[in-house]
Amino acid sequence: MTNKELTHEQQEELIKTLKARFEKNNERHEGFDWTNVQEKLDSNPKKLWSLHEMEATGGEPDVVGYDAKTDEYIFYDCSAESPKGRRSVCYDREAWEARKNHKPENTAMDMAKDMGIELLTEGQYRELQQLGKFDLKTSSWVQTPENIRKLGGAIFCDRRYDTIFMYHNGAESYYAARGFRGSLRV
């Protein structure tokens, strides 16, 4: 899908999916009214397209917050494990180009940009973990501070032993069980 527009049927199906997930997981957004969320979605077709991409790659996006200053709802990928359609990617294009052999098909940063979303920060990842238990078998790249990235590294997080861990790896590394989680403001 290169035009970044959904058909009317795709929009309706996505809204139905998002509403069902919203209603099923009220603990992620207590006190929020779906009608207000849907009004935002209906008036932001480009954001709806990004949510569709999050859904299509296995992210199971859901509302996790609201920013009153900007009047935006905040969606995170809430799939139990790192989204399947976004695994086996190195961190960014620079890391991809540095690989001599066995380059992955894509990078986390390129995919996120193409989807119109942002990688979670370490802080956002920790916030997400307050809403449930995520990445018990997988791990997720998170936004890496520039000083770490300049030295060739990148950071990722997961949950093991009922603890959220932040680790480092070479940015060019990629694993079948590591993907990335995204956020979107609507």
Side-chain angles (χ1 to χ4, degrees), residues 2-178:
T2 56
N3 66 3
K4 299 190 178 191
E5 289 183 20
L6 302 178
T7 66
H8 181 71
E9 293 77 22
Q10 288 173 313
Q11 288 178 13
E12 284 183 351
E13 187 63 32
L14 179 60
I15 294 286
K16 187 171 138 183
T17 299
L18 294 172
K19 181 180 181 185
R21 184 174 297 127
F22 182 91
E23 291 171 348
K24 181 181 177 187
N25 298 286
N26 193 46
E27 69 282 357
R28 295 179 186 158
H29 37 253
E30 284 186 45
F32 291 6
D33 182 352
W34 173 255
T35 306
N36 297 332
V37 175
Q38 186 166 346
E39 284 177 17
K40 285 286 193 182
L41 294 173
D42 290 342
S43 63
N44 286 286
K46 287 185 179 178
K47 302 287 179 119
L48 201 56
W49 181 86
S50 293
L51 286 166
H52 180 269
E53 293 299 293
M54 292 170 81
E55 186 70 30
T57 55
E60 300 178 20
D62 197 7
V63 176
V64 298
Y66 175 74
D67 186 335
K69 290 180 186 174
T70 61
D71 186 32
E72 294 173 309
Y73 287 95
I74 302 163
F75 286 79
Y76 286 175
D77 286 307
C78 292
S79 55
E81 301 298 339
S82 197
K84 280 188 179 183
R86 295 186 236 151
R87 295 185 196 165
S88 295
V89 295
C90 61
Y91 183 72
D92 61 11
R93 180 62 42 185
E94 180 184 345
W96 185 88
E97 290 174 355
R99 286 193 69 90
K100 302 287 186 225
N101 299 307
H102 310 293
K103 292 183 187 238
E105 288 186 30
N106 212 335
T107 78
M109 295 298 283
D110 288 346
M111 286 183 79
K113 182 180 177 185
D114 290 346
M115 295 168 67
I117 64 174
E118 300 280 331
L119 262 69
L120 294 185
T121 64
E122 179 190 355
Q124 290 169 326
Y125 187 89
R126 291 181 182 281
E127 287 173 11
L128 174 66
Q129 291 285 0
Q130 298 302 308
L131 302 175
K133 294 183 178 184
F134 302 94
D135 285 337
L136 298 176
K137 298 175 185 172
T138 58
S139 61
S140 296
W141 289 115
V142 295
Q143 288 184 33
T144 298
E146 199 169 315
N147 62 323
I148 294 172
R149 187 60 199 97
K150 280 183 180 178
L151 295 172
I155 59 175
F156 64 96
C157 298
D158 64 23
R159 184 182 197 121
R160 304 290 191 274
Y161 310 106
D162 207 24
T163 302
I164 294 86
F165 289 96
M166 188 267 293
Y167 307 90
H168 61 88
N169 214 177
E172 73 285 349
S173 67
Y174 66 97
Y175 300 93
R178 183 176 308 148

